[in-house]
Amino acid sequence: ESVLKEMMEYSRAYEPTLTEKDLLQIIEEILSGLDDFFREKNIDVLREFPQRPVLLALEMDGISKIFEQVFKNAVSMIGPIGGRVTVSVQPMDQPGEVLISVSDNGRQIPDDIRDALLDSNPSAKTFEGGLGMPLARKIIEAHSGRIKIEERADRGNTVNIYLPITERG
């Protein structure tokens, strides 16, 4: 039943209604909402945020789903004794873009699972890990962004999300 529900959500057309919001405030709210989850798993969360707001045109529900999924995936890669998740937000040298990095110090994502997480054509193998990350990729792309997973040898994983910053005239 849950697989069918995920598949239906994934296959539905997603066309976000964009509103300008402060990305830092949204991420902070999501992290605060997951405080008990992080504490239960013995996970320290480090924040590396700029001092000024980061304004983006986005759709709240979609962006919230993305970050909740990415934070929970990072925790799932960390063993039972706990660890660390680092959330970094930084404007890029390329004008009009922000990089959001979520790094963990857990085990590396196996190649087949990593490929399935970002697969745009879900198969039975994709369902093993759920459709959370393929759905996150779909939402990110609908926001004119992109996502990449980076393995850091013997130091965990980093999910990099690139989103366009609202242009100020």
Side-chain angles (χ1 to χ4, degrees):
E1 188 176 313
S2 65
V3 169
L4 181 59
K5 184 178 175 183
E6 279 189 346
M7 188 61 188
M8 288 177 65
E9 185 175 358
Y10 180 82
S11 63
R12 207 172 318 160
Y14 178 75
E15 296 180 23
T17 302
L18 305 177
T19 308
E20 186 176 81
K21 301 278 185 187
D22 179 8
L23 178 66
L24 301 178
Q25 183 178 355
I26 293 167
I27 291 175
E28 191 58 54
E29 287 174 13
I30 296 166
L31 289 172
S32 294
L34 293 171
D35 271 346
D36 290 340
F37 175 71
F38 292 129
R39 206 173 2 266
E40 175 185 306
K41 302 287 186 179
N42 196 27
I43 303 294
D44 292 324
V45 179
L46 304 174
R47 294 159 173 84
E48 298 174 353
F49 295 169
Q51 296 298 314
R52 298 187 333 203
V54 176
L55 300 176
L56 302 179
L58 50 81
E59 191 262 327
M60 278 291 293
D61 289 343
I63 290 294
S64 296
K65 280 181 188 175
I66 291 168
F67 287 110
E68 190 169 318
Q69 181 68 47
V70 170
F71 298 151
K72 287 182 176 180
N73 280 4
V75 170
S76 74
M77 298 314 298
I78 298 172
I81 58 172
R84 181 181 64 252
V85 172
T86 302
V87 182
S88 168
V89 177
Q90 58 190 34
M92 297 297 295
D93 290 337
Q94 179 178 334
E97 193 170 61
V98 65
L99 167 62
I100 306 98
S101 295
V102 179
S103 302
D104 64 69
N105 66 339
R107 67 187 188 286
Q108 289 187 324
I109 299 172
D111 289 345
D112 59 335
I113 294 174
R114 184 189 66 240
D115 295 343
L117 289 176
L118 299 176
D119 190 355
S120 59
N121 297 307
S123 64
K125 183 172 225 158
T126 306
F127 289 118
E128 293 172 15
L131 283 173
M133 287 302 285
L135 181 59
R137 195 190 95 239
K138 181 178 177 178
I139 293 169
I140 289 165
E141 288 174 353
H143 283 82
S144 300
R146 62 191 194 283
I147 182 170
K148 294 183 179 181
I149 295 178
E150 177 183 317
E151 294 175 347
R152 300 172 307 141
D154 299 326
R155 297 181 302 150
N157 310 282
T158 298
V159 174
N160 292 316
I161 300 170
Y162 301 84
L163 293 170
I165 295 175
T166 301
E167 295 295 326
R168 292 261 173 206

